[in-house]
Amino acid sequence: MQVKEIKSKKIILLFLAVFISFGISILAYSVYADDPEYITTTVTVTSAAPTFSVEPYEQDDDTLNPSSTVTPTNVGDSVIFHATGDDPDGEQYYLAVCKENSITANNNGTPTCGGLGEWCVSTATNDETPTSCEYTAQNTDSEENIWYAFICDHSASSQCSSSSQGSGESGSPFVVNRRPVFTT
């Protein structure tokens, strides 16, 4: 009989140890559940915004000179905008040339210029590869046309750079040589 009593006491002790361990676990959870040291956090890393590695510039497609008051772009000719983008994540990018300083990045898609719209947007281009887009000058364009260039990446969480207007003669604005209009 003593063997049976020892076995039953061992079972009771084992049951008691499991019960005490479970109780301690519940007590520890209730004590530490709201402690910031024991709260887990999740960090979501999005893509980094691209930048210009070569600042934007424009030129007339016929003369290859900057479109300026000295060498304006004739109506019917194109103004070609050039730039190179650097995306820290190595993703493809777009060159977007907008009529005002406003742009919206579109995830995995072409960016959209705000307000007055775009002059042109390039196709998706590999990181650190030069790109361009062009606009054909219209008789309805102003003589001087302000532009703002952006580099926007092509990714699931697309972002755009700050705007740049280039510099010097090849920077904003481009100049259009319009045909004269007879008024009388």
Side-chain angles (χ1 to χ4, degrees):
M1 254 227 198
Q2 281 185 330
V3 173
K4 283 186 177 180
E5 283 180 29
I6 293 175
K7 281 186 179 180
S8 98
K9 286 183 182 181
K10 283 183 179 180
I11 291 173
I12 291 172
L13 286 175
L14 180 63
F15 177 73
L16 190 57
V18 169
F19 182 73
I20 290 172
S21 295
F22 183 71
I24 290 173
S25 297
I26 290 175
L27 179 63
Y29 176 78
S30 65
V31 168
Y32 295 112
D34 294 327
D35 188 339
E37 185 177 337
Y38 296 98
I39 296 175
T40 60
T41 58
T42 303
V43 176
T44 303
V45 178
T46 60
S47 72
T51 59
F52 288 98
S53 59
V54 173
E55 288 294 314
Y57 63 96
E58 36 96 339
Q59 63 187 139
D60 181 279
D61 70 338
D62 276 348
T63 66
L64 299 182
N65 292 317
S67 179
S68 66
T69 54
V70 176
T71 57
T73 300
N74 292 321
V75 168
D77 287 352
S78 293
V79 177
I80 304 171
F81 297 90
H82 303 271
T84 303
D86 178 19
D87 186 85
D89 304 310
E91 298 161 333
Q92 289 189 316
Y93 73 92
Y94 298 94
L95 166 63
V97 183
C98 301
K99 294 181 179 182
E100 59 184 51
N101 194 6
S102 173
I103 191 140
T104 301
N106 293 310
N107 294 342
N108 289 320
T110 307
T112 307
C113 293
L116 299 173
E118 68 187 51
W119 293 113
C120 63
V121 177
S122 73
T123 58
T125 304
N126 290 334
D127 184 38
E128 284 294 327
T129 302
T131 192
S132 63
C133 65
E134 63 183 78
Y135 171 76
T136 302
Q138 307 293 315
N139 207 45
T140 54
D141 290 334
S142 299
E143 285 185 18
E144 292 190 0
N145 300 278
I146 305 293
W147 55 266
Y148 300 86
F150 298 88
I151 295 292
C152 301
D153 61 3
H154 181 86
S155 71
S157 56
S158 294
Q159 296 187 46
C160 294
S161 68
S162 299
S163 67
S164 176
Q165 292 184 289
S167 62
E169 287 289 307
S170 65
S172 184
F174 70 89
V175 180
V176 174
N177 183 20
R178 300 182 302 171
R179 293 182 181 103
V181 177
F182 292 106
T183 57
T184 57

